[in-house]
Amino acid sequence: MGKITGFMEFERVEEGYKPVPERLKHYKEFVIGLTDEQAKVQGARCMDCGTPFCNSGCPVNNIIPDFNDLVYRQDWQNAWAVLDSTNNFPEFTGRICPAPCEAACTLNVNDDAVGIKSIEHAIIDRAWEHGWVKPRPARIKTGKKVAVVGSGPAGLAAAQQLARVGHDVTVFEKNDRVGGLLRYGIPDFKMEKSHIDRRVEQMKAEGVTFRTGVMVAQLPEGSKVTNWAKETVSPEQLQKEFDAVLLAGGAEQSRDLPVSGRDLAGVHFAMEFLPQQNKVNAGDKLKGQLSAAGKHVIVIGGGDTGSDCVGTSNRHGAASVVQFELMPQPPEEEDKPLTWPYWPYKLRTSSSHEEGCEREFAIATKEFLGEKGKLTGLKTVRVEWKDGKMAEVPGSEQVLKADMVLLAMGFTSPVGTVLDAFGVDKDNRGNAKASTDFTGGYVTNVPKVFAAGDMRRGQSLVVWAIREGRQAARAVDEFLMGFSDLPR
C-alpha cells in the first residue's frame, strides 16, 4: 500500500469532458483522461482493504488494489501486467463499463469511491502508447480447431484466450466488420472503433482468423442471404470442420412496443438508428439514413441504449430530445447502508443527457399518432406503482409532438435463428441453456457446442461478456485437451 492515509488526504477526481458545443460537432471521443499525477493521487486513495470488495464487484475480478498501488508508485508497466492478467480488453471497459467495482469499493461506504475506472483507462492508454501491448502467439500448436460465432466482447475474449494456448481459432461475424455490438451498438463518441481494429490486428498476429459477412444459419432451400451477409455457413459445416464451436453472439432481439400506430413511419428501434451512424462514421455510403436533424425526437427507454440515442440525436441536430422512463425517478443519492457493496439504485445522468435532453419518468406510451402514415406525436399517460403493480394515473393523459420515436427498451434475447439452427435448448428467456459450473461449464445440450456472453445470459454488460468469454475459453480448452492452464 503506497499511501496509508491517502484516502483521508485526497479527494476523488473525475475524468473531464470537452465542452458540449465542441463535442456535438463530431463523433469522436471527448473524455479528458487523468494526468499521471492525477492517476497517482487517485491510486493513493485505495485503502488496500483486508477484503477488497472491488475485486468481487468486478465481473472479470481485476486485481484492483495491486494496480492502484503500482500506479501510485508510477510503475506503469507492472500495473499494465496486472491489469492484462485478468482483462483482455481494458480499453473497452475503461471507456464504457459502468464500474460496478466502484460501487463495491469499501471507501464508497461513507465517501466517494476510488476512481478505479479512470485508473484502468489511464493504464491501458499508456500501455498502447508505449508499445507494451504485443501479440502473444502460442509457441506450440495443438492441432485443434475452434469456431467462434460472434465477434463481440465475449467472442473476442474467448478467441484470444484459445489462440494463445495453441488452438486454431476462426471467428465468424455476420456483419461486414469485426466487433459485434461493440462496433454497431455503441456510438463512436463513447468508444472509437480504432480500439477494436488494433485488437483485431493483435489477434490476427496471434493466429486468429476472422471471417466477416458470414451468417451461421440453416436457411430454407432457395432463400437468399440477408443484405448484410455475403454468405452462409451451416451448423453442420461447423460441426464437421471444427473440434468445438462456441456461440457468442449478442442479444439483438429488441423489445417492442405493440401499441396502436406502431407501424407509422418515424417509429424505429434504437438498433435501426445507431448502427447506421457508426457505418457512416466508418466511411460507408448509406441511402436513406435515419436522421434526427430538425426533428422532435422521443426516446422510449431510460437505459444506456436510450442515452446513446440521445447523444446521437443531438449530434444530428434534433430540434428537441425527450427520454421516457417507465419507472419512477430514482433518488439522486443511493442508500449506501442498504445497497453497498451491490449496484445501487440512484439517478444516473450521462454525458449525453448533459448535452441536451428532457427526461420524463413514470410515463407510458398509449398510442402513436400520425397523419398520412407518418408519425406526428404520441399519447402518453402517467403511471404509478403500488404493491409492485403499475397503474395509470386518472386524468394524466396528454399528447406530445414527435417526428421520430426511438424504441430503446432493452433486448429480450439473442436472435433465435442461430440457436434454432444448432438445436440448442433454451431457457425460459430464450437464451442458450448452459451452466457456468467449474466442470463442464458453458456446454450446451448439443455435443461440442458451447455458449457464452449475451447468447447464454441475455442482455448484459461488456465486462460480463469478457468474463464469460474467458471462462468459456477455459471450458473449451479443457474439453479439447482434458485439462486447461487458462485462468477461470
Side-chain angles (χ1 to χ4, degrees), residues 202 328 420:
Q202 179 199 31
D420 293 339

Side-chain angles (χ1 to χ4, degrees), residues 195-358:
H195 302 299
I196 302 174
D197 296 337
R198 63 186 178 185
R199 278 296 183 180
V200 169
E201 292 306 308
Q202 179 199 31
M203 292 173 65
K204 286 180 178 178
E206 292 173 340
V208 178
T209 299
F210 291 92
R211 291 183 59 184
T212 57
V214 180
M215 182 178 179
V216 177
Q218 190 69 61
L219 296 182
E221 188 175 349
S223 62
K224 295 182 179 179
V225 181
T226 58
N227 292 332
W228 31 257
K230 296 179 294 187
E231 60 177 305
T232 60
V233 173
S234 70
E236 289 78 13
Q237 287 176 269
L238 293 187
Q239 289 169 299
K240 181 180 179 180
E241 295 176 17
F242 293 88
D243 299 296
V245 178
L246 173 63
L247 306 180
E252 297 179 306
Q253 194 71 49
S254 299
R255 185 173 283 110
D256 207 347
L257 185 59
V259 299
S260 177
R262 171 63 181 88
D263 58 346
L264 289 168
V267 183
H268 307 279
F269 286 119
M271 286 306 294
E272 296 176 69
F273 177 68
L274 295 173
Q276 289 190 359
Q277 186 57 57
N278 286 6
K279 286 177 176 288
V280 170
N281 294 346
D284 293 354
K285 303 294 183 183
L286 297 185
K287 291 183 179 180
Q289 179 191 358
L290 297 178
S291 175
K295 295 179 180 178
H296 297 281
V297 178
I298 293 180
V299 179
I300 300 180
D304 289 340
T305 303
S307 173
D308 294 342
C309 289
V310 170
T312 302
S313 297
N314 279 325
R315 281 162 178 75
H316 282 188
S320 66
V321 182
V322 181
Q323 185 178 22
F324 285 3
E325 170 56 62
L326 190 64
M327 301 298 292
Q329 180 172 331
E332 293 193 7
E333 296 292 335
E334 71 267 37
D335 185 345
K336 290 185 177 182
L338 177 66
T339 61
W340 181 88
Y342 302 109
W343 188 244
Y345 176 66
K346 68 175 183 178
L347 180 66
R348 301 180 190 278
T349 300
S350 72
S351 59
S352 291
H353 294 140
E354 295 169 353
E355 293 165 358
C357 173
E358 182 181 343

